[in-house]
Amino acid sequence: MLSTKHLLGIKQLSKADIELIFTQADHFKEVLNRPIKKVPSMRDVTIVNLFFENSTRTRISFELAEKRLNADVLNFTTSSSSVSKGETLIDTVNNILAMKVDMVVMRHPSPGAAIFLQKHINASIINAGDGTHEHPTQALLDAYSIREKVGELTGKKILIVGDILHSRVALSNIYCLQKLGAKVKLCGPPTLMPQNIESLGVEVEYDIKKALQWCDVANVLRIQLERQDIQYFPSLREYSLYYGINQTLLNEIGKDIVIMHPGPINRGVEISSEVADGKNSIILDQVENGVAVRMAVLYLVHQASVAELQNA
Ligand code: CP
């Protein structure tokens, strides 16, 4: 059983929680490879996907995971809702829950939005990304994909490259990979590196060649221009020149490095097409694994919620 009936962030999960999610995801991955890809594990459970910020992968992956589990699914996007008329987040969610909805999956631009909501409602909440804070299911599917490709994470050297400052993927990955025993190094321009990030137990390397020489796996992040209120580097061209991952650079390093990216990709900026689509890239495996991992999270969060009700 999970130690929590919510998934607010990786920070709140134990190593045992993460391993339980992976074991359950292994089972659901097998289900997804059957001719009939559905199981009745969440029949009669109603889930709302509340997306206050744009998404392609996460929203579709959650909806597909819910449908594969036979849950009833509602989708909400801000642009077509009464949020634009001034309704608060708590009022919006309480009105949806009044219609007998059991679980909330939420993406929100404000860091801490899922934690805030959890204090005000009774339903289980899964954080699908809250601003620059956490993106727990992305970190889980990333770690699951690394484990699938290179084996258990203990002692593995994982590099996270790019816009660390604005990245919820980076923070959730740091928590998740460290809980599983991996070594984590960060690389990017000094202006996109959070101050005192070393206090989380990670190393920082500003030289991309040295960073790549060190790692087994490189997780390449997008420059999040939509979260940047000032200019953090002179131009995208300059960023690409110093920190972009391309085949010439990898050839110079001369070792096989597993390449990851959470998407969406800005081809030719943080990663070249040759590398993103190359033989060492597991970018689409990450997307595929996302469905099984999210099925596992939804199922286990629901089980924990049912157990809490039974013990009340
Ligand atoms: N990786 C990720 O969160 O992608 P989306 O923003 O498309 O959901």
mmCIF file of all heavy atoms in Angstrom, residues 54-59 107 135 138 262-264, ligand 1:
data_model
loop_
_atom_site.group_PDB
_atom_site.id
_atom_site.type_symbol
_atom_site.label_atom_id
_atom_site.label_comp_id
_atom_site.label_asym_id
_atom_site.label_seq_id
_atom_site.Cartn_x
_atom_site.Cartn_y
_atom_site.Cartn_z
ATOM 1 N N ASN A 54 -1.116 24.530 -20.315
ATOM 2 C CA ASN A 54 -1.081 23.676 -21.513
ATOM 3 C C ASN A 54 -0.332 22.366 -21.274
ATOM 4 O O ASN A 54 0.599 22.302 -20.472
ATOM 5 C CB ASN A 54 -0.399 24.412 -22.667
ATOM 6 C CG ASN A 54 -1.240 25.569 -23.159
ATOM 7 O OD1 ASN A 54 -2.419 25.665 -22.830
ATOM 8 N ND2 ASN A 54 -0.632 26.454 -23.924
ATOM 9 N N SER A 55 -0.741 21.341 -21.998
ATOM 10 C CA SER A 55 -0.072 20.038 -21.918
ATOM 11 C C SER A 55 -0.470 19.213 -23.134
ATOM 12 O O SER A 55 -1.617 19.266 -23.572
ATOM 13 C CB SER A 55 -0.519 19.323 -20.646
ATOM 14 O OG SER A 55 -0.109 17.977 -20.666
ATOM 15 N N THR A 56 0.472 18.450 -23.653
ATOM 16 C CA THR A 56 0.138 17.425 -24.659
ATOM 17 C C THR A 56 0.287 16.056 -24.023
ATOM 18 O O THR A 56 -0.676 15.335 -23.793
ATOM 19 C CB THR A 56 1.073 17.539 -25.883
ATOM 20 O OG1 THR A 56 0.912 18.822 -26.456
ATOM 21 C CG2 THR A 56 0.744 16.474 -26.926
ATOM 22 N N ARG A 57 1.545 15.704 -23.677
ATOM 23 C CA ARG A 57 1.864 14.362 -23.172
ATOM 24 C C ARG A 57 1.129 14.024 -21.884
ATOM 25 O O ARG A 57 0.469 12.978 -21.787
ATOM 26 C CB ARG A 57 3.372 14.235 -22.893
ATOM 27 C CG ARG A 57 4.227 13.902 -24.088
ATOM 28 C CD ARG A 57 5.580 14.581 -23.930
ATOM 29 N NE ARG A 57 5.366 16.016 -23.998
ATOM 30 C CZ ARG A 57 5.345 16.690 -25.138
ATOM 31 N NH1 ARG A 57 5.618 16.082 -26.260
ATOM 32 N NH2 ARG A 57 5.087 17.981 -25.170
ATOM 33 N N THR A 58 1.269 14.879 -20.873
ATOM 34 C CA THR A 58 0.753 14.526 -19.539
ATOM 35 C C THR A 58 -0.768 14.375 -19.563
ATOM 36 O O THR A 58 -1.314 13.426 -18.992
ATOM 37 C CB THR A 58 1.182 15.604 -18.518
ATOM 38 O OG1 THR A 58 2.572 15.852 -18.691
ATOM 39 C CG2 THR A 58 0.922 15.154 -17.095
ATOM 40 N N ARG A 59 -1.457 15.289 -20.230
ATOM 41 C CA ARG A 59 -2.924 15.248 -20.238
ATOM 42 C C ARG A 59 -3.425 14.005 -20.976
ATOM 43 O O ARG A 59 -4.283 13.274 -20.488
ATOM 44 C CB ARG A 59 -3.509 16.516 -20.879
ATOM 45 C CG ARG A 59 -4.961 16.742 -20.492
ATOM 46 C CD ARG A 59 -5.582 17.842 -21.305
ATOM 47 N NE ARG A 59 -5.652 17.504 -22.725
ATOM 48 C CZ ARG A 59 -6.469 16.608 -23.245
ATOM 49 N NH1 ARG A 59 -7.294 15.929 -22.483
ATOM 50 N NH2 ARG A 59 -6.463 16.359 -24.544
ATOM 51 N N ARG A 107 -2.896 20.026 -13.183
ATOM 52 C CA ARG A 107 -1.716 20.806 -13.596
ATOM 53 C C ARG A 107 -2.057 22.269 -13.366
ATOM 54 O O ARG A 107 -3.145 22.730 -13.748
ATOM 55 C CB ARG A 107 -1.371 20.581 -15.059
ATOM 56 C CG ARG A 107 -0.318 21.582 -15.541
ATOM 57 C CD ARG A 107 0.274 21.220 -16.853
ATOM 58 N NE ARG A 107 1.177 20.077 -16.733
ATOM 59 C CZ ARG A 107 2.019 19.703 -17.686
ATOM 60 N NH1 ARG A 107 2.054 20.365 -18.829
ATOM 61 N NH2 ARG A 107 2.803 18.672 -17.525
ATOM 62 N N HIS A 135 6.963 17.794 -10.807
ATOM 63 C CA HIS A 135 6.218 17.070 -11.846
ATOM 64 C C HIS A 135 6.444 15.580 -11.533
ATOM 65 O O HIS A 135 7.222 14.893 -12.203
ATOM 66 C CB HIS A 135 6.758 17.458 -13.220
ATOM 67 C CG HIS A 135 5.911 17.009 -14.380
ATOM 68 N ND1 HIS A 135 4.852 16.125 -14.261
ATOM 69 C CD2 HIS A 135 5.971 17.336 -15.702
ATOM 70 C CE1 HIS A 135 4.314 15.925 -15.449
ATOM 71 N NE2 HIS A 135 4.969 16.658 -16.338
ATOM 72 N N GLN A 138 6.271 12.669 -14.111
ATOM 73 C CA GLN A 138 7.349 12.716 -15.109
ATOM 74 C C GLN A 138 8.610 12.080 -14.527
ATOM 75 O O GLN A 138 9.279 11.279 -15.196
ATOM 76 C CB GLN A 138 7.624 14.167 -15.517
ATOM 77 C CG GLN A 138 8.719 14.321 -16.573
ATOM 78 C CD GLN A 138 8.320 13.759 -17.929
ATOM 79 O OE1 GLN A 138 7.234 14.052 -18.420
ATOM 80 N NE2 GLN A 138 9.189 12.968 -18.554
ATOM 81 N N PRO A 262 12.061 15.172 -21.477
ATOM 82 C CA PRO A 262 10.658 15.034 -21.052
ATOM 83 C C PRO A 262 9.658 15.562 -22.083
ATOM 84 O O PRO A 262 8.451 15.274 -21.966
ATOM 85 C CB PRO A 262 10.604 15.864 -19.766
ATOM 86 C CG PRO A 262 11.712 16.871 -19.910
ATOM 87 C CD PRO A 262 12.782 16.206 -20.716
ATOM 88 N N GLY A 263 10.146 16.341 -23.067
ATOM 89 C CA GLY A 263 9.256 16.965 -24.027
ATOM 90 C C GLY A 263 8.532 18.152 -23.366
ATOM 91 O O GLY A 263 8.453 18.218 -22.151
ATOM 92 N N PRO A 264 7.999 19.074 -24.147
ATOM 93 C CA PRO A 264 8.174 19.173 -25.589
ATOM 94 C C PRO A 264 9.605 19.586 -25.958
ATOM 95 O O PRO A 264 10.238 20.341 -25.249
ATOM 96 C CB PRO A 264 7.167 20.264 -25.985
ATOM 97 C CG PRO A 264 6.907 21.055 -24.740
ATOM 98 C CD PRO A 264 7.152 20.156 -23.590
HETATM 99 N N1 CP B 1 6.569 16.385 -20.261
HETATM 100 C C1 CP B 1 5.459 17.129 -20.157
HETATM 101 O O1 CP B 1 4.994 17.488 -19.042
HETATM 102 O O2 CP B 1 4.885 17.454 -21.349
HETATM 103 P P1 CP B 1 3.508 18.242 -21.524
HETATM 104 O O3 CP B 1 3.738 19.656 -21.035
HETATM 105 O O4 CP B 1 3.171 18.170 -22.986
HETATM 106 O O5 CP B 1 2.480 17.550 -20.670
#
